[in-house]
Amino acid sequence: MTSSSFSRRSFLLTLGTGLAGTAVLAACARTGLGSSNASYLVYVGSYGPADQENIVLYRLTPATGALTRVLGAKGGAAPSFLTVDTQHRFLYAVNEVDNYQGTPNGGVSAFAIDRKTGGLTLLNQQASGGTIPCYISLDKQNRHALVANYGNGTVAALPIGPDGQLRPASSIDQHQGHGPHKNQTNARGHCLLPDPAGKHFFAVDLGNDTVYGYTLDASGKLLGQSGPAFKAKPGAGPRILTFHPTKPLAFLINELDSTMTSLAYDASRGTLTEIQTLTTLPASFTEWNACADVHVSPNGKFLYGSNRGHNSLVVYAIDQNSGRLSFVEHVMLPGKTPRSFTFDPTGRTVLVAHQQSNTIVTYFADANTGRLTPTGTSVELPAPVCLQVYPDFLRS
């Protein structure tokens, strides 16, 4: 399979057929943070085979960038995206398939977390309310799982019981329309998440270039705004939205035209207004590329996006007054298809998952310049595609 023909659907079909001291001190100086023995937990979702441990837990030491495997668990078919509740009792994962128990759905799985080991015990599963679910988040009260379905362009809310188990979807909304790109033959939900206050919810649809705004009522029904929260350029293929940690700003990475959009966020109305759109690629690069993930550094100074094809992270500085972006650097990665990356909460380290190279690598982040430096750490596992970092809540 060539990179130009790579797609989620073709990759899933392929899956179905089987599958130190001085450097650390220098890095601490660059990040502006002292040496620390603090650690974090990293749950990794993947496209690993269903009969193997395809959700893996690592312990991250930000001072060194080291990842130490804690354990693995079987997450079912393609547990590609996952999240954990705020009390770290339950983990929820989408099962990125188009047939769930003989119905045209994907799956969503709920697991109990062993607070001593980090191990997972399956609680139950539910249909995702659409095909090929690719994103899951929770509302601020951990009462609903919010799922975006890529295959048929729906978004769904699934209630969560006090025992952590998922209930059948209480609300499913079908997006309509398509775009000019060959990958936009129909609506394709790619992201559904709450805003920082938990008041508004936003669904990013790659297939029709739209960001939809919702509220969620007490019964678990998604109530749509009268019009789009934001319309991207036709053919842009918006993929994932993220918010600034302190400013009324949001950022949208566009998969199909390899751009990044800075947005002003009106939290009272739940609307987004374009400030600026920039390319994620060097002018000299003319080959196939598809953007993937987007994150703001914890200090709010820098924005990062991943390029699949160019196999890089693009780094921008964020003007704290205007929200405008200025290019800092492209970080060329040692692997292929950086589907997911993330920061640890201190901002000291960045973790990058290479889907097609089966590796996770870590970098030190400079808090003052935004630039990244390799830590020298790399771990191997099959097709990692989601990285979620949490405080080290395990009890000995």
Side-chain angles (χ1 to χ4, degrees):
M1 184 186 304
T2 64
S3 61
S4 59
S5 66
F6 176 80
S7 70
R8 171 179 286 101
R9 182 173 294 275
S10 61
F11 187 77
L12 288 171
L13 290 174
T14 301
L15 265 176
T17 63
L19 276 175
T22 302
V24 170
L25 290 174
C28 291
R30 286 193 300 272
T31 60
L33 297 168
S35 179
S36 172
N37 293 322
S39 63
Y40 294 90
L41 299 177
V42 185
Y43 279 101
V44 182
S46 79
Y47 286 134
D51 62 349
Q52 297 181 20
E53 295 176 339
N54 52 12
I55 297 178
V56 181
L57 175 62
Y58 291 91
R59 181 172 276 109
L60 167 70
T61 304
T64 63
L67 287 167
T68 304
R69 183 179 171 120
V70 178
L71 53 77
K74 293 181 179 179
S80 64
F81 204 93
L82 49 83
T83 191
V84 170
D85 74 308
T86 53
Q87 294 181 325
H88 311 122
R89 297 186 302 158
F90 307 110
L91 181 146
Y92 300 92
V94 298
N95 296 107
E96 194 173 322
V97 297
D98 59 8
N99 187 309
Y100 173 76
Q101 298 182 354
T103 68
N105 284 282
V108 188
S109 298
F111 299 88
I113 299 175
D114 186 316
R115 295 294 296 270
K116 291 185 177 180
T117 68
L120 304 178
T121 300
L122 180 66
L123 294 175
N124 76 326
Q125 295 176 307
Q126 295 287 354
S128 69
T131 57
I132 313 182
C134 62
Y135 194 97
I136 185 169
S137 64
L138 304 178
D139 66 1
K140 293 296 183 180
Q141 294 74 37
N142 301 304
R143 294 175 182 169
H144 296 87
L146 309 166
V147 180
N149 293 291
Y150 177 86
N152 68 336
T154 60
V155 292
L158 286 73
I160 298 172
D163 58 359
Q165 294 196 36
L166 293 161
R167 308 294 188 251
S170 55
S171 183
I172 301 172
D173 192 41
Q174 174 68 65
H175 297 166
Q176 304 293 336
H178 58 86
H181 192 277
K182 65 180 181 179
N183 290 353
Q184 294 180 309
T185 54
N186 59 276
R188 296 196 178 279
H190 214 301
C191 177
L192 177 59
L193 80 166
D195 72 358
K199 178 181 178 181
H200 297 283
F201 300 80
F202 294 93
V204 179
D205 196 298
L206 183 147
N208 62 20
D209 300 310
T210 303
V211 180
Y212 295 88
Y214 296 90
T215 55
L216 186 69
D217 71 12
S219 69
K221 183 175 179 58
L222 289 164
L223 304 173
Q225 294 178 356
S226 59
F230 179 71
K231 283 291 290 185
K233 176 183 175 183
R239 180 180 171 97
I240 294 179
L241 181 74
T242 193
F243 288 89
H244 192 280
T246 59
K247 303 289 184 178
L249 299 169
F251 304 94
L252 183 66
I253 195 162
N254 302 299
E255 175 178 325
L256 300 181
D257 72 353
S258 297
T259 60
M260 184 77 77
T261 300
S262 176
L263 300 157
Y265 179 47
D266 185 331
S268 62
R269 299 172 56 204
T271 57
L272 300 156
T273 304
E274 182 175 358
I275 297 171
Q276 179 190 28
T277 296
L278 296 176
T279 181
T280 65
L281 296 170
S284 60
F285 187 81
T286 59
E287 299 176 33
W288 174 87
N289 187 72
C291 291
D293 206 358
V294 57
H295 290 281
V296 181
S297 60
N299 65 10
K301 294 182 177 181
F302 302 99
L303 178 69
Y304 299 73
S306 63
N307 287 304
R308 299 172 295 175
H310 189 242
N311 294 320
S312 67
L313 296 185
V314 62
V315 186
Y316 309 95
I318 303 170
D319 186 289
Q320 300 297 295
N321 295 315
S322 69
R324 293 183 65 84
L325 306 174
S326 56
F327 174 76
V328 174
E329 69 169 342
H330 284 106
V331 181
M332 300 308 299
L333 301 171
K336 296 175 63 178
T337 319
R339 168 79 174 269
S340 176
F341 71 96
T342 194
F343 280 84
D344 79 82
T346 70
R348 179 183 279 122
T349 51
V350 175
L351 300 81
V352 184
H354 297 122
Q355 177 181 335
Q356 289 186 299
S357 297
N358 306 310
T359 58
I360 301 172
V361 299
T362 62
Y363 289 82
F364 292 121
D366 190 308
N368 298 313
T369 68
R371 293 178 177 272
L372 304 184
T373 304
T375 69
T377 289
S378 176
V379 295
E380 296 184 1
L381 74 163
V385 290
C386 179
L387 302 168
Q388 299 285 20
V389 182
Y390 301 98
D392 192 344
F393 54 78
L394 298 186
R395 300 187 298 261
S396 58

